[in-house]
Amino acid sequence: MAAPGGFAVSSAPPPPRRLLLLFLALLFVAAGPARAGRSRVRALSDGSWRDLLQGEWMVEFYAPWCPACQNLQPEWESFAEWGEDLEINIAKVDVTEQPGLSGRFIITALPTIYHCKDGEFRRYQGPRTKTDFINFISDQEWKSTEPISSWFGPSSFLMSSMSALFQLSMWIRNCHNYFTENLGIPAWGSYAIFAFATLFSGLLLGLIMVFLADCICPSKKHRPLQHHYQKKPPESTQLLQKAGEGLEEDDLSDAEVEPREPPNALRQRTANPVARAGAEQS
């Protein structure tokens, strides 16, 4: 279409199409920073920690209030961007939210980093930069570190017990905060409640154990008679007793060989000569 003066004017797109293009452009611009800011670090919990038993992992244990953990976060996030290239999973655990995992791995310092490879756990103690993390995985430097013993592995019975103990302590702490903050109970009242609960649970557990022991190993009503054995005398006393018994046996043997005559027989012997003499005189 020719405009006055001989200049050609191109026809503009209709307003709805222009609005659609503007909306798509704004959507693309807004999605770019959001996609770039999305963290590639996976958060682990008490219910998903068994994922560490398969594949290769690098796990950081941290706390939000820890300054060293806050300084490590940028390096850890940059290292996570290399996870796909290194074929490794990058994860983190907040010990304030997951006390069970803190007890399962015995976290005594923050931040603590573990390397996990097919169920074997090694504690990382090298420098904490992105380059060092990448070299630790790409150069397989983790092979020079001894894995944790199976007795202290996170899947052992001992560490499972520690995890349950840490979870119980966190539950007690939450209950204490609820009693003091929400219900307005003083601190000594909360302690008294826990003391009573501890005594009652101990008594109940003791009764259950006695009942189970009685069912498994019932007590016998009629016990067999116990034989009372005489105390064995010393050797010297035994020798004296044997000597005495030997003397008694000798006396008895002599008595058997030469029997003594009774007293009546003696009287008869003494009387016989007199009787004989009287008979001869007569």
Side-chain angles (χ1 to χ4, degrees), residues 256-278:
E256 291 177 356
V257 174
E258 297 179 0
R260 296 179 181 178
E261 295 181 356
N264 295 331
L266 294 175
R267 292 176 183 177
Q268 290 178 1
R269 287 182 181 182
T270 55
N272 285 336
V274 177
R276 289 178 181 179

Side-chain angles (χ1 to χ4, degrees), residues 49-64:
W49 77 270
R50 290 191 176 275
D51 295 341
L52 299 175
L53 301 177
Q54 298 178 355
E56 189 173 7
W57 294 75
M58 286 284 283
V59 186
E60 175 205 3
F61 292 84
Y62 75 101

